[in-house]
Amino acid sequence: MTAKPSPEKLLALGMSFWNAKTLLSAVELGVFDALADSPADLATLTAKLGLHERSARDFFDALVAMKVLDRDANGRYANSPETEFFLVRTRPSYVGGLFEMANARLYSSWGNLTEALRTGRRQSENQEASDLFAALYADPKRLRGFLAAMSGVSAGAAQAIADKFPWRDYKTFVDVGAAQGMVPVTIAREHTHLTGVGFDLPQVGPIFEDFVAANELADRVRFHPGDFFKDELPKTDVIIMGHILHDWDLGQKRMLLRKAHDALSEGGALIVYEAMIDNDRRENAFGLLMSLNMLIETDGGFDFTGSDCEGWMKDAGFSSTRVEPLNGPNSMAVAFK
């Protein structure tokens, strides 16, 4: 007898925004920061965070049930190992900038996904502005938050690239769209023979330099201001483009790949890393959802498969390509000149 289908998976998917918003609010309120030094009971934690007593217990216990907080036999709450490491703002391993951006910007914008699917138009703030990134970069506070979020997105992939790519064969690299500097800092820290450059718009410079200095790498990692649509890329052995190509339409993607080819030394390499969609477009749900996020956020951006990227790289003049998994949903396409 064939088992009847269960609605449980559909119900979990359809209501998963409950989990997401609970975690995002916990980051916004500073729950994990409040528990960084020591556990706290319900009354202490409620008062510390300035919450109303009506729902505080349900909120904290929901976080326990979601496995992002622990609660001991005496009713004291504590961070889980993961949230202690990744979601305490004072930790160098903090990746919550991504969640801060999701809470402040993406959560409300995604409420308009149906409209975006019907119209093909982005739904983020400043919808009528001709350039989303210009508006974002014009506000120093929002820019700093966005760049910190990009560090959260890139941290795991940066370490995987530092570990997997044959850096011993090269001396210099440029990270295009470097944001706060997570990728060049991670690579330079792991490979002391390398010197690196972060290429981004001028407004990013002070934030990048502060981050590099805090990691004591200013002697080997420097900032190069520029606009990759208007300026040539700096000459180098290796170019990295992480979560850059998916922001732009196909013509712009192809143009950036040609610029990378032109800037590389003979025998040089281009690394493109994204949450690449699997070639059959059946498995990497995160990559496909990221592409929908590009619909929400940009005028023409979309994510792509490894095979798509390799084809564009060869069209740009690269002689050989390969795709390797990194961490989680991320993969890198590597092309050689």
Side-chain angles (χ1 to χ4, degrees):
M1 184 176 179
T2 304
K4 292 182 179 179
S6 168
E8 290 181 14
K9 181 177 73 173
L10 298 178
L11 292 172
L13 282 172
M15 304 308 294
S16 58
F17 69 93
W18 285 4
N19 299 65
K21 190 63 180 78
T22 300
L23 178 59
L24 297 181
S25 289
V27 172
E28 179 184 9
L29 290 165
V31 171
F32 309 110
D33 304 316
L35 294 170
D37 296 327
S38 62
D41 61 24
L42 174 62
T44 301
L45 190 56
T46 299
K48 194 171 187 179
L49 297 175
L51 303 186
H52 194 283
E53 64 181 15
R54 175 187 173 186
S55 54
R57 183 181 182 187
D58 288 343
F59 176 55
F60 298 134
D61 286 347
L63 294 169
V64 171
M66 291 163 58
K67 312 301 183 189
V68 295
L69 287 185
D70 296 325
R71 190 186 67 235
D72 66 19
N74 295 316
R76 295 180 303 172
Y77 296 94
N79 288 333
S80 72
E82 291 83 4
T83 54
E84 180 69 21
F85 190 76
F86 289 115
L87 291 183
V88 174
R89 284 181 175 84
T90 55
R91 304 277 189 266
S93 51
Y94 180 67
V95 300
L98 174 62
F99 295 152
E100 292 176 38
M101 182 182 75
N103 194 47
R105 299 180 56 244
L106 299 183
Y107 189 83
S108 60
S109 297
W110 265 75
N112 299 320
L113 176 61
T114 304
E115 179 69 12
L117 291 167
R118 285 175 172 156
T119 65
R121 297 191 61 197
R122 62 181 166 92
Q123 301 297 312
S124 56
E125 73 276 35
N126 300 314
Q127 292 179 40
E128 305 307 317
S130 60
D131 186 338
L132 171 67
F133 289 100
L136 184 63
Y137 278 48
D139 183 331
K141 183 177 179 181
R142 286 178 59 208
L143 175 60
R144 189 172 286 274
F146 174 74
L147 298 183
M150 293 305 98
S151 287
V153 170
S154 300
Q159 188 60 58
I161 292 168
D163 293 340
K164 291 190 173 189
F165 186 75
W167 291 105
R168 63 184 178 277
D169 299 333
Y170 303 94
K171 296 180 179 179
T172 63
F173 69 92
V174 173
D175 183 24
V176 175
Q180 192 178 31
M182 177 62 75
V183 173
V185 160
T186 301
I187 293 171
R189 187 171 54 225
E190 294 292 324
H191 303 279
T192 57
H193 70 286
L194 291 172
T195 57
V197 169
F199 181 91
D200 213 315
L201 294 173
Q203 301 95 308
V204 176
I207 301 169
F208 180 94
E209 289 168 350
D210 286 348
F211 186 76
V212 171
N215 283 275
E216 301 180 342
L217 286 166
D219 58 328
R220 290 191 292 116
V221 178
R222 64 182 179 83
F223 185 73
H224 185 113
D227 181 335
F228 53 51
F229 285 123
K230 299 176 182 177
D231 304 318
E232 297 304 311
L233 301 180
K235 302 295 183 182
T236 189
D237 295 336
V238 179
I239 289 177
I240 306 162
M241 292 183 176
H243 303 291
I244 295 297
L245 289 188
H246 75 164
D247 289 329
W248 310 104
D249 65 32
L250 181 56
Q252 292 166 319
K253 285 175 168 65
R254 290 184 179 276
M255 180 273 291
L256 291 172
L257 292 173
R258 288 195 298 270
K259 280 196 169 186
H261 182 271
D262 292 344
L264 286 169
S265 55
E266 201 63 34
L270 168 65
I271 301 170
V272 171
Y273 73 90
E274 305 268 7
M276 288 188 187
I277 301 166
D278 58 289
N279 288 339
D280 287 338
R281 298 175 61 86
R282 291 179 180 273
E283 300 298 330
N284 191 354
F286 187 89
L288 291 161
L289 293 171
M290 180 65 83
S291 199
L292 291 180
N293 192 58
M294 292 303 101
L295 167 66
I296 293 289
E297 286 278 87
T298 71
D299 289 321
F302 62 93
D303 282 72
F304 43 87
T305 68
S307 179
D308 291 334
C309 192
E310 287 186 282
W312 303 331
M313 287 169 153
K314 289 173 181 174
D315 289 344
F318 290 94
S319 60
S320 63
T321 63
R322 68 171 185 263
V323 175
E324 295 183 41
L326 292 174
N327 68 314
N330 296 300
S331 297
M332 66 176 176
V334 182
F336 298 94
K337 182 173 177 179

